Amino acid sequence: MDALLSEEMWLPANISWARLYASRPDGRLTPQPVHLTMSLACGLAFCLLRYLVETFLLFPLGRRWGLADAPKDAVRPVTPNKRLDAVFRLNRRPTVDQMSALAGELGWSDKSVANWFRRKRNQLKSSTLRKFVESAWFFLHYSCILVYGFAVLVGKDYFWDARYCWIGWPDQAVDADIYWYYMISLGYYWSAMYYIFTDVKHKDFAEMLIHHVVTVCLMSFSWCLNYVRIGALVLLVHDVVDPFMHLTKCLSYASSNTCLRDMMFVVFMVCWIVTRLTIYPFWVVYSAMFHSWAIIGPYRSWYMFNGCLLVLQVLHVIWFYFILRIALSVVTQDPDAKDSRSDSEMSATEDGLDDGVDCKHK
């Protein structure tokens, strides 16, 4: 344990824990690990807030707009069949040959067996109302945190010149507005770690789980080592794209205006390219790797921190592949080009926007 918490592991040669966590004579805040307990409180508050907003605002709004409150095929459930149920528990998507063998075994037609598996899968899906409510909650959260992030960061010198993220480290104070931006954002990701197991499931569940774990570790790590300035920039760059993504999904569920939906999807794609494939790697990660190297110098935890930033960039590229698949399906109306994350039986356009690209996510 001593080796794990040693200064040699986490800090440059000329910096000590005592200096990193020393109280400032002007009384301004110095990041301390104990402050992270506030993020846990914020996470619990997010769980309560989400329950209240969904229950008393979003579910009633979705029902008022006539969104289906039950999964597709729930009104006409499949006939129970012990043999097919046993296969379904092991494999929800049997091959054509496997379904043909089952048809011969049961005396059914191949089409009947295929329809049974399709309807069985659809019964396990979330309703359109549930998907709308989830996306609407994400839209509200990301819109609010984006506005707040811009408001608190636009006046900071490091917002305009990322070198100031490192100049003066580790003696940089944290202003109250940045403290709350960090704790609220980290609290949200604590709540997301819970909701990822209860929300609508997508094929990129593993990627999303990795994303949330990396984000929580990265934010906690950056707070404890006072990398708060670069961490705040990482948050802001990631927050820009999410309101547009979830608004696109809300329009897909609640509106028949496909033109408006497709226009918003284009805006989402452009924002993704600009923020996550351009600004993030060539401004934020560049500063974390090269400005910090020149001003502070590399050390052990420096490699860990930048490694986490690069993991996020890899996820950005993976998710952009999914985005391109969705765009291709919308343009060509080709059912074979639909979103590879999807597990739906719907059309390519609806399906791609239905499952979307849930990325933060951050």
Side-chain angles (χ1 to χ4, degrees):
M1 181 61 69
D2 291 341
L4 183 62
L5 299 178
S6 66
E7 294 174 347
E8 293 78 10
M9 177 71 178
W10 299 101
L11 302 173
N14 60 333
I15 304 297
S16 65
W17 290 121
R19 178 181 173 184
L20 182 66
Y21 296 136
S23 300
R24 295 179 57 87
D26 58 6
R28 298 174 69 192
L29 181 67
T30 299
Q32 306 276 351
V34 68
H35 295 153
L36 295 176
T37 57
M38 177 57 71
S39 70
L40 297 175
C42 289
L44 293 175
F46 265 114
C47 291
L48 176 60
L49 178 63
R50 176 170 176 174
Y51 171 78
L52 294 175
V53 171
E54 289 186 346
T55 301
F56 297 105
L57 175 63
L58 300 180
F59 271 112
L61 181 63
R63 293 189 180 100
R64 183 179 181 85
W65 287 348
L67 300 183
D69 203 357
K72 183 180 179 182
D73 286 336
V75 295
R76 48 187 186 95
V78 297
T79 303
N81 184 288
K82 291 183 179 180
R83 178 66 179 124
L84 297 182
D85 282 328
V87 175
F88 187 83
R89 284 193 293 269
L90 299 175
N91 181 10
R92 294 185 178 185
R93 288 185 175 274
T95 64
V96 174
D97 291 339
Q98 290 172 331
M99 287 191 290
S100 180
L102 288 169
E105 183 179 336
L106 297 172
W108 293 14
S109 68
D110 291 359
K111 183 177 180 180
S112 296
V113 173
N115 285 339
W116 190 97
F117 277 96
R118 176 184 57 79
R119 292 172 58 192
K120 185 72 172 180
R121 287 192 300 269
N122 282 334
Q123 286 179 11
L124 299 180
K125 294 183 181 300
S126 298
S127 66
T128 302
L129 177 62
R130 172 70 255 179
K131 295 174 184 178
F132 167 79
V133 167
E134 178 185 311
S135 293
W137 160 255
F138 289 145
F139 170 72
L140 291 175
H141 164 72
Y142 289 126
S143 298
C144 291
I145 201 66
L146 175 61
V147 172
Y148 181 66
F150 266 117
V152 302
L153 283 171
V154 72
K156 310 298 183 185
D157 51 5
Y158 53 90
F159 178 84
W160 304 101
D161 187 346
R163 288 175 297 180
Y164 284 100
C165 291
W166 313 104
I167 296 173
W169 183 89
D171 304 315
Q172 300 166 341
V174 176
D175 297 326
D177 51 5
I178 296 297
Y179 167 82
W180 283 112
Y181 181 46
Y182 233 75
M183 293 302 112
I184 292 172
S185 297
L186 182 54
Y188 168 78
Y189 281 106
W190 281 121
S191 69
M193 292 280 285
Y194 163 74
Y195 278 112
I196 192 174
F197 293 99
T198 62
D199 281 340
V200 177
K201 295 296 188 297
H202 300 291
K203 281 191 174 182
D204 67 343
F205 173 85
E207 290 91 338
M208 284 302 303
L209 183 60
I210 292 171
H211 175 274
H212 291 342
V213 171
V214 170
T215 300
V216 168
C217 291
L218 190 59
M219 293 186 67
S220 302
F221 179 23
S222 62
W223 182 265
C224 292
L225 293 185
N226 201 4
Y227 296 157
V228 176
R229 294 183 176 186
I230 195 70
L233 295 181
V234 171
L235 285 172
L236 184 64
V237 169
H238 281 80
D239 287 339
V240 170
V241 72
D242 291 301
F244 299 103
M245 176 182 70
H246 291 291
L247 179 58
T248 303
K249 295 174 73 174
C250 287
L251 291 172
S252 177
Y253 304 139
S255 174
S256 58
N257 190 335
T258 57
C259 181
L260 179 61
R261 180 200 66 191
D262 293 345
M263 288 175 57
M264 193 56 57
F265 183 73
V266 171
V267 174
F268 158 65
M269 279 191 65
V270 172
C271 287
W272 187 283
I273 294 170
V274 171
T275 59
R276 300 201 181 190
L277 299 182
T278 305
I279 294 177
Y280 177 76
F282 297 111
W283 181 51
V284 176
V285 177
Y286 179 89
S287 180
M289 295 184 68
F290 297 104
H291 291 162
S292 64
W293 182 294
I295 297 172
I296 302 174
Y299 44 97
R300 291 183 183 179
S301 64
W302 179 93
Y303 293 99
M304 296 167 55
F305 180 73
N306 282 283
C308 289
L309 294 178
L310 292 174
V311 168
L312 289 182
Q313 183 57 33
V314 171
L315 292 174
H316 296 165
V317 174
I318 293 173
W319 279 317
F320 188 62
Y321 165 76
F322 292 135
I323 294 171
L324 291 178
R325 290 290 301 272
I326 297 171
L328 178 63
S329 69
V330 172
V331 171
T332 64
Q333 295 295 308
D334 179 7
D336 293 329
K338 69 179 182 178
D339 180 5
S340 59
R341 294 176 65 245
S342 172
D343 194 33
S344 174
E345 309 299 331
M346 296 181 290
S347 68
T349 305
E350 182 183 358
D351 195 34
L353 289 170
D354 176 36
D355 275 341
V357 178
D358 294 315
C359 30
K360 212 40 207 148
H361 348 238
K362 298 285 164 234

